Amino acid sequence: MLRLLRLLLLLLPLPPPGSPESSEPPGLAPVSPGAPPQAPDLLYADGLRAYAAGAWAPAVALLREALRSQAALGRARRDCRASCEAEPGAALPAVLPGAPRPDSGPGPARRSWEPLLLRAALRRAECLTQCAARRLGPGGAARLRVGSALRDAFRRREPYNYLQRAYYQLKKLDLAAAAAHTFFVANPTHLQMREDIAKYRRMSRVRPQSFRDLETPPHWAAYDTGLELLGRQEAGLALPRLEEALQGSLAQMESCQASCEGPEEQQGAEKEEEEGAGSQGGLYEAIAEHWIRVLQCRQRCVGETATRPGRSFPVPDFLPSQLRQLHEAHAQVGNLSQAVENVLSVLLFYPEDEAAKSALNQYQAQLGEPRPSLAPREDIQHFILRSLGEKRQLYYAMEYLGTSFTDPDPWTPAALIPEALREKLREDQEKRPWDREPPQPKPVTYWKDVLLLEGVTLTQDARQLNGSERAVLDGLLTPAECGLLLQLAKDAAGAGARSGYRGRRSPHTPHERFEGLTVLKAAQLARAGAVGSQGAKLLLEVSERVRTLTQAYFSPERPLHLSFTHLVCRSAIEGEQEQRMDLSHPVHADNCVLDPDTGDCWREPPAYTYRDYSGLLYLNDDFQGGDLFFTEPNALTVTAQVRPRCGRLVAFSSGGENPHGVWAVTRGRRCALALWHTWAPEHREQEWIEAKELLQESEQEEEEEEEDEEVPSRDHSPEPPSHGLHRVQDKGGKPARVREEL
């Protein structure tokens, strides 16, 4: 009922089609003007449910409101932090009366600072709580806590991926193009979105100005414009944009650092930064642990602010480089006083910078007389003093508490770093990837090369399949490879292998027989001599080939892991096919429980919620029926159908956006390799690793036997490519294997 009320409230203020407000970019205009933000995670979840149900207008409303609420939460936290820092009663004292000196002895005087510090912290907490309640409504920020999964989704701009599809269905093509472009800026190697944008550009009704980024922080636009104007020798026009870029960079850093103090951020601190900082149970240990995480997060904001959307590495020396551009531009237009202020600011970062010292001498000579009032910029002084204070505490914790810290700045003075840590940090400094030329995004030709491996071609994309995150790829297997895997399945069935099933009848229909083979069972049968080892090896290699292509197409920036691999054959039972009305596999989704009556798909047990992408690699087509089909969430309306054939892969996301089933196999035997992939490494397929090790052991034993027989020569046949497989040593925590197939 609450979800229904929320949905109705959000739908009421939506403008009618064609009204001025209907052209607002998604996520920028409040759907409920003046209303306090609602919980972003609930809005996002409801938006995805509406999307899966094909309720495009509600999906747009909910996703836009989720974006607005997330942004409002960040603004409120930043503004409250600034307000409480400026409020005298809630300001933390810079120097605490009675604070102990290093040489002071034990006694009551040593603890006189504790009440002052804790009282000031309580005042600050009270101020922040009251401010958040005023800005965000009852409950404040605690009511709107979001988890790491949602933060990651918003960081990757996933709402815009759904928005572009929903706007397309609503015939709002300009908004669809803007949403697609916004998603693509942060995911430049997402091949499917690249294809979608190309199609939008070919549409006559989509205006060129629609391809705009709705999320990139404003300092990047100002920075790029300023550099472009400088390159055209238009320093006067460049100066306002360069100054805007610097102020925007500092403001973005402030906003990022304010978010570090939020309740959810302590759970999202990076693992490598937390090593050695585990809770030790006491009051002061807990305070220190939390404070260290906050400081680590604040320092990471430097790199985050300097990293363009869609890039993996920050622009080196981002703030000092902006100051260099500013002092050179001021000098070109004759603003020598401002040029001196900016070059002095550069020298705060690099006191021995010869180019900066030379420029300072030149500017002072041109001014003709000393100007003692000229000093480095106050905003840069404030930034450096605070940053050095944070670094000093982090290096102290690193030396005495065993925590870790990766300094994002090359300008940190060596004297600040404890002598005991300098040698190790010097070695780490030489290995830092962003000290070298940052890698550029891989061009589209690279991804085409990936898809063309082994003669693979893209046959149908999501648009042609009338859905989202779907693709058909052909050529993954040669006819000989299909034959080898078909023989493997036949030999395994003859050996009595029916992995995960008690009987030969299909678990989905009484009119078909079912045979299933896992990679581990295949390896065990090969070692026992029941099936050929060549087929078992090919099964492993092909599953990794599918994983590589699925990741390249759908998730190039985020590794996918095999979660379960199953070689499946379905055979029609003769004499039971007349007037048959059922399916070979009923309509379902792979990571959520589909409710056709409501169109909802609940990502909760008994569904395999950790599955993210699915794949079906077909081995044959000499049978009747058995086509794969996709439907609307009602499980009735078919949106696309794919005919199996040797070497054809159908890959798709595993959620409620892709309900699918299999038509009845009415004659013959249909075989396919079913694969599921996951982003969660803890759910990677341990049996796959064991199978690989088992086959390697068998190879080693065969080689040793041949060496013992002193065979003078052997004809080594080439091994299939490994695609960079890595041996995993840890076999602990093996998950329970549950059998399921498509």
Side-chain angles (χ1 to χ4, degrees), residues 435-455:
D435 286 340
R436 302 185 293 275
E437 184 69 21
Q440 298 300 313
K442 296 179 177 65
V444 68
T445 53
Y446 172 85
W447 299 112
K448 287 182 179 177
D449 290 343
V450 170
L451 292 176
L452 291 173
L453 281 176
E454 310 288 341

Side-chain angles (χ1 to χ4, degrees), residues 104 150 170 218-219 358 448 472 515 530 533-534 559 572 580 614 628:
S104 61
L150 182 68
L170 293 171
H219 70 274
S358 174
K448 287 182 179 177
V472 176
E515 300 157 5
S533 61
Q534 191 177 1
R580 180 178 170 185
S614 307
L628 176 76

Side-chain angles (χ1 to χ4, degrees), residues 497-508:
R498 296 187 296 275
S499 303
Y501 295 92
R502 297 178 181 176
R504 298 186 63 88
R505 295 274 177 163
S506 168
H508 306 296

